[in-house]
Amino acid sequence: VETEIYPMAGQTDPHVSLFSPEEVEFMAEDELVEIVPNMNMEPLNFIAGDFGRFIPQIPIQVPLWLAVALKRRGKCTFRPPGWLSVDNLTQVLEAEREPQSKFQALPFSYVEIARLLFDHARDDIPDMYMVRSLVEDIRDVRLHKLENNLGTFLGTSAVKMENVSAMEVNLVRPFARRALEAFYKHDKPEVVADRNTRSSRQPREANDEPRRPLRQR
Amino acid sequence: MASSSDMGSADFESLSSTSDVELLKRAWRNEKAAPEILPYEGDLVERAKGQIELVEENIEAYVENGIDPLVVSLYQMDLDRTQFLLRSYLRVRLLKIEKFMFHSLKSEEAESRLSEQEKVFARRCADDLAKHFEESVLRKLPENYQSVLKQSLISEVDDMVPEPHLDTFVACRSKSHFTLNLYEEGESTQTEEMYRGDLYFIRYKIVKGAIESGKMDLI
């Protein structure tokens, strides 16, 4: 994975996300989900916490990564979370499509959770194709909304976001950083003027962006 | 509509004890997102290393005793996840040290953020780099321009030392209720009430303290 060779790439290269999609998914895999085991197993005493014991037909909450591992070995079925249903997602999509609407409440890691369930537990989700199509549509509408309106501006120091999800934050981050830094600098002309007159004496900012080839004119 | 109870449990630290994996994840995430090196989480790293060693031994014992391979593979997964977090945390810090080599040795405050091993690494890197610059370029320049840290003798500050860009904007989430000053002293006194779970894109400089004290997380 490229980002492990260059773990700092996301900080300096303005076009690369800070976290790779794999890393965003990794973080989401700690979310608790409900499964129904079909076997007996002793409690698991992980560094991440204690889970079990596992008893056939008795639902239990475990981290997503553990649930997927058990499902892949045929040891359990998933109980899809309440928000991942045709009814709920249809309501969410309609609300997202309202002009000028805010972001609807969805789990912070909804994209990653949905994706892992579609990949590994499609038979446990009623109307899976419909659900998947709704999630894709919701992602599109929200991403489009995000490009136009990040949130509520608080002076030039901050923007408050509501109900933006992990994947969406990571995607919009490089653009948001550049835009917000530009707004902030504009708002403080005396800082900019100082930099111009003392430019040869200012501490440099470390910058290892790859050199872009100059455009032919 | 989805209820707030299934909005995601693992992101909020529970009121009972938080696992070291959660703490490590937080430390890793913060370190990746912060423009400067954060204070070293020595206790956490030591505890994590201890737990990792223990689990490695257990897994060896399980395999020898013929424990169900499924159970062994699950323990291995938990171990792999923890090791990834620990290694990536240390790697991100090393890269930042390389990037801000001279800067992290300039002040006691900056040096105090590094572990003992990181300090050794930083000093050796800085010495090697300084020597390389001197031998390949600086000795051949006129006398006033031979410093590794300053452009010339008339520079007032160490203008050849790259510094972290603290005015960058970061995404973060509040973990408790508190009042945040949106600007620095001498500027506007506008404040904002932060509530648990609120998300912001915000200037790193003004949340630096809140992150180090655990009131906010970088995301």
Side-chain angles (χ1 to χ4, degrees):
Chain A
V1 174
E2 258 178 36
T3 45
E4 260 321 301
I5 305 173
Y6 305 110
M8 293 291 287
Q11 272 212 23
T12 44
D13 186 334
H15 301 297
V16 170
S17 299
L18 183 63
F19 295 101
S20 71
E22 292 85 357
E23 286 170 335
V24 179
E25 187 177 85
F26 178 81
M27 289 190 274
E29 283 173 334
D30 289 321
E31 293 289 333
L32 292 177
V33 291
E34 199 165 65
I35 56 164
V36 181
N38 57 27
M39 46 68 189
N40 248 304
M41 196 162 67
E42 290 293 307
L44 297 166
N45 301 118
F46 291 151
I47 307 173
D50 300 326
F51 304 102
R53 56 173 310 139
F54 297 82
I55 300 168
Q57 310 317 318
I58 307 289
I60 181 174
Q61 296 225 322
V62 294
L64 191 46
W65 66 267
L66 178 57
V68 169
L70 289 171
K71 173 74 184 182
R72 290 180 71 172
R73 290 161 173 79
K75 304 293 181 185
C76 71
T77 58
F78 271 89
R79 282 243 193 117
W83 59 269
L84 195 65
S85 67
V86 171
D87 285 344
N88 182 54
L89 292 175
T90 309
Q91 271 189 320
V92 168
L93 181 59
E94 269 173 33
E96 293 278 4
R97 279 183 170 153
E98 286 290 314
Q100 318 291 349
S101 58
K102 306 191 304 181
F103 290 103
Q104 301 306 303
L106 283 167
F108 188 59
S109 304
Y110 83 92
V111 175
E112 305 86 272
I113 296 173
R115 157 101 192 264
L116 280 165
L117 289 179
F118 296 148
D119 282 351
H120 300 288
R122 50 179 57 195
D123 46 333
D124 294 332
I125 304 176
D127 304 311
M128 196 283 274
Y129 290 103
M130 186 63 184
V131 172
R132 187 167 67 182
S133 149
L134 283 166
V135 171
E136 279 169 15
D137 288 344
I138 288 171
R139 280 185 67 176
D140 280 341
V141 172
R142 286 169 64 103
L143 223 47
H144 184 75
K145 259 197 323 210
L146 208 56
E147 284 165 13
N148 294 323
N149 180 25
L150 202 51
T152 320
F153 277 76
L154 304 165
T156 52
S157 250
V159 179
K160 182 170 177 178
M161 300 181 279
E162 265 203 67
N163 290 324
V164 182
S165 79
M167 196 66 95
E168 288 154 0
V169 168
N170 195 46
L171 280 173
V172 84
R173 191 191 330 252
F175 161 72
R177 249 175 58 183
R178 287 203 307 279
L180 291 172
E181 277 186 40
F183 285 149
Y184 176 69
K185 282 193 184 138
H186 260 282
D187 199 45
K188 313 207 74 190
E190 67 276 10
V191 175
V192 176
D194 276 349
R195 281 181 180 244
N196 284 338
T197 55
R198 299 191 295 152
S199 61
S200 65
R201 311 272 185 88
Q202 282 296 321
R204 281 183 347 174
E205 284 151 18
N207 183 342
D208 35 31
E209 281 184 41
R211 300 255 171 262
R212 280 181 197 74
L214 297 175
R215 270 204 302 257
Q216 298 290 338
R217 287 198 181 271
Chain B
M1 285 298 281
S3 69
S4 59
S5 61
D6 45 25
M7 277 308 132
S9 45
D11 285 319
F12 296 126
E13 272 131 47
S14 55
L15 292 172
S16 55
S17 64
T18 310
S19 78
D20 279 343
V21 170
E22 272 300 313
L23 291 175
L24 205 47
K25 188 164 92 172
R26 173 179 188 264
W28 167 71
R29 206 170 46 197
N30 282 351
E31 196 73 63
K32 253 198 173 249
E36 57 173 355
I37 302 178
L38 299 174
Y40 181 66
E41 303 264 1
D43 289 341
L44 175 59
V45 169
E46 285 313 303
R47 284 199 318 267
K49 271 169 40 180
Q51 293 199 62
I52 285 171
E53 275 170 28
L54 192 61
V55 172
E56 277 173 337
E57 284 168 18
N58 284 348
I59 288 179
E60 270 182 41
Y62 290 160
V63 170
E64 271 178 33
N65 295 337
I67 300 283
D68 184 2
L70 167 68
V71 172
V72 175
S73 76
L74 295 177
Y75 275 99
Q76 185 68 50
M77 259 186 244
D78 173 58
L79 179 69
D80 289 342
R81 290 178 68 87
T82 311
Q83 274 184 322
F84 166 72
L85 284 175
L86 182 59
R87 286 172 182 161
S88 197
Y89 172 68
L90 295 173
R91 251 199 294 250
V92 170
R93 289 178 64 88
L94 284 180
L95 263 130
K96 278 189 192 173
I97 289 173
E98 282 180 4
K99 193 169 154 183
F100 302 121
M101 208 177 300
F102 295 112
H103 172 82
S104 49
L105 297 170
K106 259 173 72 168
S107 66
E108 266 191 51
E109 201 278 326
E111 248 195 280
S112 70
R113 290 162 171 247
L114 307 181
S115 71
E116 287 312 308
Q117 289 160 309
E118 286 169 345
K119 282 182 199 162
V120 170
F121 173 72
R123 285 186 200 127
R124 282 215 314 251
C125 270
D127 286 345
D128 284 348
L129 193 60
K131 194 164 144 211
H132 169 66
F133 281 154
E134 280 161 18
E135 286 174 9
S136 56
V137 178
L138 293 175
R139 288 211 192 119
K140 300 169 188 172
L141 294 179
E143 242 186 76
N144 288 354
Y145 298 90
Q146 284 185 357
S147 158
V148 171
L149 303 178
K150 291 178 155 59
Q151 273 196 55
S152 75
L153 284 187
I154 52 174
S155 299
E156 288 154 17
V157 294
D158 289 338
D159 49 9
M160 287 308 288
V161 174
E163 289 197 356
H165 179 40
L166 300 181
D167 268 333
T168 198
F169 277 74
V170 291
C172 58
R173 170 167 52 205
S174 180
K175 283 158 66 183
S176 56
H177 176 207
F178 68 102
T179 314
L180 179 74
N181 289 322
L182 289 178
Y183 293 91
E184 293 141 281
E185 291 211 23
E187 302 174 354
S188 149
T189 51
Q190 188 181 358
T191 61
E192 173 78 357
E193 290 303 308
M194 301 295 203
Y195 294 95
R196 190 174 144 110
D198 285 349
L199 298 174
Y200 293 86
F201 264 113
I202 199 165
R203 258 195 317 137
Y204 175 74
K205 224 185 246 182
I206 58 182
V207 291
K208 191 172 125 97
I211 288 160
E212 289 177 22
S213 64
K215 293 206 198 96
M216 297 194 90
D217 273 347
L218 295 175
I219 58 171

